[in-house]
Amino acid sequence: MPMKKGYKALVDEAMAQVKTYTVEQARAKLDDPNVQFVDVRDVRELEREGIIPGAYPAPRGMIEFWVDPESPYFKPVFGENKEFIFFCAAGWRSALTTKTVQDMGMENVAHIEGGFGAWKKAGAPVAEKVKKV
C-alpha cells in the first residue's frame, strides 16, 4: 500500500515550521545556562558515538510523554524556562521532534541542521555517554 505522506514530506513540512540552527549558531549557545540541548537519538547511538556536552538524552519515542506536565512520565527538565535545542543524527528526527513539541505548546524550541553528524564533522565538542552499570 503506498504511503499517503512519506517521511520526506513530513520532514520537509517540519523544517518549514521550526527554527533551525546551524552547528555554528548552536555551538555559540553551548555554555548558555538558559539553553538545554536535547538528544533524541537512541541510547545505543549515544553510547556508540558520544553526545554534545551537557545534552539531556530523551529518546524520540518518549518525547511527547516526557514534555507533557500531565503525563506520568513527565521529566522536570522540560518544565524549566529555557530554550530547548533538539538534535539527532542527521536532523530529521529532531525536526519532527521540534515540530511535535511546538504543536504541543512548547515555545522557544529549535533543532540543529545536520544533527550530531554535522556537529562532529565541524569539530564541535563531544562527550562520552556514560553507560549505566
Side-chain angles (χ1 to χ4, degrees), residues 30-44:
L30 189 57
D31 295 321
D32 186 335
N34 296 312
V35 173
Q36 178 62 62
F37 285 79
V38 180
D39 193 329
V40 299
R41 295 175 299 150
D42 180 88
V43 66
R44 291 172 293 253

PDB file of all heavy atoms in Angstrom, residues 30-44:
ATOM      1  N   LEU A  30      26.237  26.803  23.503  1.00  0.00           N
ATOM      2  CA  LEU A  30      26.584  25.628  24.301  1.00  0.00           C
ATOM      3  C   LEU A  30      26.742  25.925  25.790  1.00  0.00           C
ATOM      4  O   LEU A  30      26.320  25.139  26.627  1.00  0.00           O
ATOM      5  CB  LEU A  30      27.862  24.978  23.751  1.00  0.00           C
ATOM      6  CG  LEU A  30      28.233  23.622  24.330  1.00  0.00           C
ATOM      7  CD1 LEU A  30      27.107  22.612  24.151  1.00  0.00           C
ATOM      8  CD2 LEU A  30      29.503  23.108  23.680  1.00  0.00           C
ATOM      9  N   ASP A  31      27.332  27.037  26.141  1.00  0.00           N
ATOM     10  CA  ASP A  31      27.562  27.361  27.555  1.00  0.00           C
ATOM     11  C   ASP A  31      26.511  28.299  28.143  1.00  0.00           C
ATOM     12  O   ASP A  31      26.670  28.768  29.269  1.00  0.00           O
ATOM     13  CB  ASP A  31      28.960  27.975  27.723  1.00  0.00           C
ATOM     14  CG  ASP A  31      30.054  26.975  27.381  1.00  0.00           C
ATOM     15  OD1 ASP A  31      29.893  25.788  27.730  1.00  0.00           O
ATOM     16  OD2 ASP A  31      31.059  27.369  26.762  1.00  0.00           O
ATOM     17  N   ASP A  32      25.441  28.558  27.404  1.00  0.00           N
ATOM     18  CA  ASP A  32      24.378  29.437  27.876  1.00  0.00           C
ATOM     19  C   ASP A  32      23.513  28.683  28.893  1.00  0.00           C
ATOM     20  O   ASP A  32      22.918  27.655  28.559  1.00  0.00           O
ATOM     21  CB  ASP A  32      23.527  29.895  26.690  1.00  0.00           C
ATOM     22  CG  ASP A  32      22.473  30.921  27.053  1.00  0.00           C
ATOM     23  OD1 ASP A  32      22.041  30.968  28.225  1.00  0.00           O
ATOM     24  OD2 ASP A  32      22.062  31.666  26.153  1.00  0.00           O
ATOM     25  N   PRO A  33      23.430  29.157  30.138  1.00  0.00           N
ATOM     26  CA  PRO A  33      22.637  28.449  31.150  1.00  0.00           C
ATOM     27  C   PRO A  33      21.130  28.471  30.865  1.00  0.00           C
ATOM     28  O   PRO A  33      20.376  27.719  31.489  1.00  0.00           O
ATOM     29  CB  PRO A  33      22.956  29.207  32.444  1.00  0.00           C
ATOM     30  CG  PRO A  33      23.407  30.560  32.003  1.00  0.00           C
ATOM     31  CD  PRO A  33      24.053  30.377  30.660  1.00  0.00           C
ATOM     32  N   ASN A  34      20.704  29.292  29.916  1.00  0.00           N
ATOM     33  CA  ASN A  34      19.287  29.355  29.557  1.00  0.00           C
ATOM     34  C   ASN A  34      18.948  28.480  28.357  1.00  0.00           C
ATOM     35  O   ASN A  34      17.855  28.596  27.796  1.00  0.00           O
ATOM     36  CB  ASN A  34      18.880  30.799  29.274  1.00  0.00           C
ATOM     37  CG  ASN A  34      19.013  31.654  30.518  1.00  0.00           C
ATOM     38  OD1 ASN A  34      18.556  31.275  31.589  1.00  0.00           O
ATOM     39  ND2 ASN A  34      19.675  32.788  30.382  1.00  0.00           N
ATOM     40  N   VAL A  35      19.873  27.622  27.972  1.00  0.00           N
ATOM     41  CA  VAL A  35      19.682  26.719  26.836  1.00  0.00           C
ATOM     42  C   VAL A  35      19.906  25.289  27.295  1.00  0.00           C
ATOM     43  O   VAL A  35      20.857  25.003  28.030  1.00  0.00           O
ATOM     44  CB  VAL A  35      20.659  27.062  25.691  1.00  0.00           C
ATOM     45  CG1 VAL A  35      20.585  26.017  24.577  1.00  0.00           C
ATOM     46  CG2 VAL A  35      20.368  28.452  25.131  1.00  0.00           C
ATOM     47  N   GLN A  36      19.017  24.399  26.861  1.00  0.00           N
ATOM     48  CA  GLN A  36      19.182  22.971  27.138  1.00  0.00           C
ATOM     49  C   GLN A  36      19.194  22.213  25.812  1.00  0.00           C
ATOM     50  O   GLN A  36      18.217  22.224  25.068  1.00  0.00           O
ATOM     51  CB  GLN A  36      18.035  22.449  28.016  1.00  0.00           C
ATOM     52  CG  GLN A  36      18.117  20.957  28.316  1.00  0.00           C
ATOM     53  CD  GLN A  36      19.370  20.598  29.097  1.00  0.00           C
ATOM     54  OE1 GLN A  36      19.564  21.058  30.214  1.00  0.00           O
ATOM     55  NE2 GLN A  36      20.231  19.791  28.501  1.00  0.00           N
ATOM     56  N   PHE A  37      20.307  21.572  25.500  1.00  0.00           N
ATOM     57  CA  PHE A  37      20.378  20.698  24.338  1.00  0.00           C
ATOM     58  C   PHE A  37      19.710  19.381  24.698  1.00  0.00           C
ATOM     59  O   PHE A  37      19.860  18.888  25.825  1.00  0.00           O
ATOM     60  CB  PHE A  37      21.841  20.457  23.944  1.00  0.00           C
ATOM     61  CG  PHE A  37      22.481  21.627  23.264  1.00  0.00           C
ATOM     62  CD1 PHE A  37      22.933  22.717  23.990  1.00  0.00           C
ATOM     63  CD2 PHE A  37      22.616  21.655  21.886  1.00  0.00           C
ATOM     64  CE1 PHE A  37      23.514  23.806  23.365  1.00  0.00           C
ATOM     65  CE2 PHE A  37      23.201  22.741  21.250  1.00  0.00           C
ATOM     66  CZ  PHE A  37      23.650  23.815  21.987  1.00  0.00           C
ATOM     67  N   VAL A  38      18.955  18.824  23.741  1.00  0.00           N
ATOM     68  CA  VAL A  38      18.225  17.578  23.973  1.00  0.00           C
ATOM     69  C   VAL A  38      18.526  16.618  22.829  1.00  0.00           C
ATOM     70  O   VAL A  38      18.264  16.919  21.663  1.00  0.00           O
ATOM     71  CB  VAL A  38      16.696  17.820  24.066  1.00  0.00           C
ATOM     72  CG1 VAL A  38      15.963  16.500  24.318  1.00  0.00           C
ATOM     73  CG2 VAL A  38      16.371  18.842  25.144  1.00  0.00           C
ATOM     74  N   ASP A  39      19.083  15.457  23.177  1.00  0.00           N
ATOM     75  CA  ASP A  39      19.470  14.443  22.200  1.00  0.00           C
ATOM     76  C   ASP A  39      18.352  13.418  22.077  1.00  0.00           C
ATOM     77  O   ASP A  39      18.050  12.712  23.039  1.00  0.00           O
ATOM     78  CB  ASP A  39      20.759  13.772  22.667  1.00  0.00           C
ATOM     79  CG  ASP A  39      21.425  12.936  21.595  1.00  0.00           C
ATOM     80  OD1 ASP A  39      20.715  12.376  20.731  1.00  0.00           O
ATOM     81  OD2 ASP A  39      22.663  12.828  21.632  1.00  0.00           O
ATOM     82  N   VAL A  40      17.731  13.324  20.901  1.00  0.00           N
ATOM     83  CA  VAL A  40      16.606  12.405  20.709  1.00  0.00           C
ATOM     84  C   VAL A  40      17.021  11.082  20.056  1.00  0.00           C
ATOM     85  O   VAL A  40      16.168  10.274  19.700  1.00  0.00           O
ATOM     86  CB  VAL A  40      15.441  13.064  19.933  1.00  0.00           C
ATOM     87  CG1 VAL A  40      14.903  14.256  20.685  1.00  0.00           C
ATOM     88  CG2 VAL A  40      15.841  13.433  18.521  1.00  0.00           C
ATOM     89  N   ARG A  41      18.318  10.861  19.945  1.00  0.00           N
ATOM     90  CA  ARG A  41      18.788   9.600  19.371  1.00  0.00           C
ATOM     91  C   ARG A  41      18.550   8.442  20.337  1.00  0.00           C
ATOM     92  O   ARG A  41      18.378   8.621  21.535  1.00  0.00           O
ATOM     93  CB  ARG A  41      20.282   9.685  19.027  1.00  0.00           C
ATOM     94  CG  ARG A  41      20.585  10.682  17.930  1.00  0.00           C
ATOM     95  CD  ARG A  41      22.075  10.827  17.687  1.00  0.00           C
ATOM     96  NE  ARG A  41      22.738  11.300  18.901  1.00  0.00           N
ATOM     97  CZ  ARG A  41      23.990  11.009  19.235  1.00  0.00           C
ATOM     98  NH1 ARG A  41      24.733  10.240  18.459  1.00  0.00           N
ATOM     99  NH2 ARG A  41      24.520  11.489  20.351  1.00  0.00           N
ATOM    100  N   ASP A  42      18.605   7.248  19.807  1.00  0.00           N
ATOM    101  CA  ASP A  42      18.500   6.029  20.591  1.00  0.00           C
ATOM    102  C   ASP A  42      19.713   5.917  21.515  1.00  0.00           C
ATOM    103  O   ASP A  42      20.816   6.333  21.151  1.00  0.00           O
ATOM    104  CB  ASP A  42      18.448   4.838  19.615  1.00  0.00           C
ATOM    105  CG  ASP A  42      18.345   3.522  20.313  1.00  0.00           C
ATOM    106  OD1 ASP A  42      17.221   3.088  20.595  1.00  0.00           O
ATOM    107  OD2 ASP A  42      19.411   2.914  20.574  1.00  0.00           O
ATOM    108  N   VAL A  43      19.518   5.346  22.683  1.00  0.00           N
ATOM    109  CA  VAL A  43      20.592   5.225  23.675  1.00  0.00           C
ATOM    110  C   VAL A  43      21.811   4.512  23.098  1.00  0.00           C
ATOM    111  O   VAL A  43      22.949   4.829  23.439  1.00  0.00           O
ATOM    112  CB  VAL A  43      20.091   4.552  24.975  1.00  0.00           C
ATOM    113  CG1 VAL A  43      19.702   3.099  24.756  1.00  0.00           C
ATOM    114  CG2 VAL A  43      21.129   4.669  26.068  1.00  0.00           C
ATOM    115  N   ARG A  44      21.607   3.570  22.197  1.00  0.00           N
ATOM    116  CA  ARG A  44      22.747   2.859  21.583  1.00  0.00           C
ATOM    117  C   ARG A  44      23.585   3.798  20.741  1.00  0.00           C
ATOM    118  O   ARG A  44      24.809   3.681  20.683  1.00  0.00           O
ATOM    119  CB  ARG A  44      22.248   1.672  20.758  1.00  0.00           C
ATOM    120  CG  ARG A  44      21.660   0.558  21.617  1.00  0.00           C
ATOM    121  CD  ARG A  44      21.018  -0.505  20.751  1.00  0.00           C
ATOM    122  NE  ARG A  44      19.846   0.034  20.073  1.00  0.00           N
ATOM    123  CZ  ARG A  44      18.597  -0.272  20.386  1.00  0.00           C
ATOM    124  NH1 ARG A  44      18.352  -1.111  21.360  1.00  0.00           N
ATOM    125  NH2 ARG A  44      17.582   0.252  19.737  1.00  0.00           N
TER     126      ARG A  44
END
